[in-house]
Amino acid sequence: MNYRQLKIFAVCCMVFDHAVRIFPLHQMFAPLVDVLWSAGYGGLADWLLDDFSLYLMYIGRLAAPIFVYCIAQGFAHTSNVRRYIGRVLLTAVIAQIPYTLFDLAEMRVVGLEGDWRETGLNILFTLALALCVLWAHEELKRRRLVFLSPAAVAAATWLAMRLSMEGGRGYIILAWVYYAARNRPRRQKALLYLPAVVLSRWGLIAWVMESLGTPEFSMVLSNCLLNVLGNYFGMLVTLSDNGEKGNAGKGFQYFMYAFYPAHFAVLALIGFLRPPLL
């Protein structure tokens, strides 16, 4: 895939991930499940509701690692880092209100009352911070202090967590690894991405270890695998990048910036208009 196709694929995965929070899969499958149960295929109905629904959720987990990759690639090719960071940050600010409304709508759909003060910052804030880290990395490299680059990654990750940025626990690590490994062969990248994604999800892995022997272990393990393997699969998708930009001119770029807050606004509106789940 070229750069444009990769971004379009990531957008489709993102929309799916967000849409199923307003239209939960178990509700979408309910009519078919009823038919299967009536026909005596209870096992298939259970598989559809449980296993198949879980597998579909992996689609949504592909999006974020691809967007992080695009940010790292964008940094490598931009002619004006300040302007690039400014565009991402401005979009993040514009998207925050629709992002918050979407979060409240998601809570409403499942019959809960959300609090806007508990909504963190959207992922574009994390990506803007990741760009700052890559900028610092290049500056440290120029001054022959590149060994301090991991400290910059750690400091930015701590800041992202403190500010409750989406993906703050690990996406900055992924951006740094993407950028550092950008000129390596694909097989080496695939190997490097594995410890990177594990490190980026250390919180979930620690949660699994703490849950050993508890009734919640199965649920915690499934959630961990979804977010670790899902992110790794997303990283592997970036290996399909053929190095071509495709038809990704200014119009396409502006559309991508506008689409992020717009899709949150549309889904939030639908979430507030539709009746909550019983």
Side-chain angles (χ1 to χ4, degrees):
M1 288 188 284
N2 59 40
Y3 185 76
R4 174 190 171 95
Q5 292 168 338
L6 199 58
K7 269 200 166 182
I8 292 174
F9 177 75
V11 165
C12 292
C13 293
M14 177 186 70
V15 171
F16 175 84
D17 186 46
H18 295 159
V20 296
R21 301 183 191 184
I22 303 299
F23 302 98
L25 289 174
H26 69 271
Q27 185 187 43
M28 302 296 290
F29 289 151
L32 178 57
V33 167
D34 290 341
V35 171
L36 291 174
W37 270 105
S38 300
Y41 296 100
L44 181 58
D46 289 340
W47 177 83
L48 188 65
L49 277 179
D50 297 330
D51 296 342
F52 186 63
S53 295
L54 179 62
Y55 297 150
L56 286 180
M57 293 304 294
Y58 276 85
I59 296 174
R61 294 305 182 272
L62 303 177
I66 299 174
F67 282 125
V68 175
Y69 171 80
C70 291
I71 279 289
Q73 288 295 105
F75 177 84
H77 295 97
T78 187
S79 58
N80 192 320
V81 177
R82 288 187 179 89
R83 188 175 297 173
Y84 188 24
I85 295 174
R87 287 197 303 268
V88 175
L89 192 56
L90 176 61
T91 309
V93 172
I94 294 172
Q96 188 58 32
I97 291 179
Y99 177 80
T100 302
L101 291 174
F102 169 78
D103 185 59
L104 296 176
E106 179 186 359
M107 298 293 286
R108 180 185 178 277
V109 165
V110 296
L112 299 175
E113 184 176 350
D115 186 345
W116 66 269
R117 291 168 295 187
E118 296 179 359
T119 302
L121 298 176
N122 67 73
I123 195 172
L124 289 186
F125 284 102
T126 310
L127 298 184
L129 186 56
L131 286 171
C132 293
V133 168
L134 298 183
W135 196 5
H137 170 81
E138 280 301 310
E139 186 63 22
L140 290 169
K141 186 177 179 181
R142 186 179 66 82
R143 298 184 182 187
R144 298 183 180 179
L145 296 172
V146 71
F147 62 91
L148 294 176
S149 188
V153 175
T157 300
W158 175 85
L159 179 61
M161 291 169 59
R162 292 287 295 178
L163 296 178
S164 299
M165 294 182 183
E166 184 182 357
R169 284 182 177 270
Y171 290 157
I172 293 173
I173 297 173
L174 297 189
W176 182 66
V177 171
Y178 276 138
Y179 185 73
R182 67 190 185 282
N183 295 321
R184 291 183 178 273
R186 290 180 178 177
R187 288 186 180 180
Q188 290 186 18
K189 288 180 181 179
L191 291 175
L192 289 171
Y193 290 170
L194 185 56
V197 76
V198 170
L199 181 61
S200 74
R201 291 295 182 175
W202 58 268
L204 282 174
I205 296 173
W207 188 24
V208 171
M209 300 303 294
E210 293 172 0
S211 302
L212 284 172
T214 68
E216 296 82 17
F217 176 74
S218 179
M219 180 273 293
V220 173
L221 180 61
S222 295
N223 184 54
C224 180
L225 291 175
L226 173 64
N227 286 281
V228 175
L229 290 180
N231 276 190
Y232 184 61
F233 293 153
M235 298 184 79
L236 293 182
V237 170
T238 67
L239 297 178
S240 66
D241 183 7
N242 59 16
E244 298 177 3
K245 188 175 182 180
N247 187 19
K250 291 291 184 181
F252 178 75
Q253 292 178 26
Y254 291 145
F255 170 78
M256 295 298 290
Y257 282 119
F259 184 83
Y260 184 71
H263 93 283
F264 277 131
V266 171
L267 289 175
L269 178 61
I270 294 173
F272 281 115
L273 290 178
R274 65 162 300 175
L277 297 177
L278 299 179

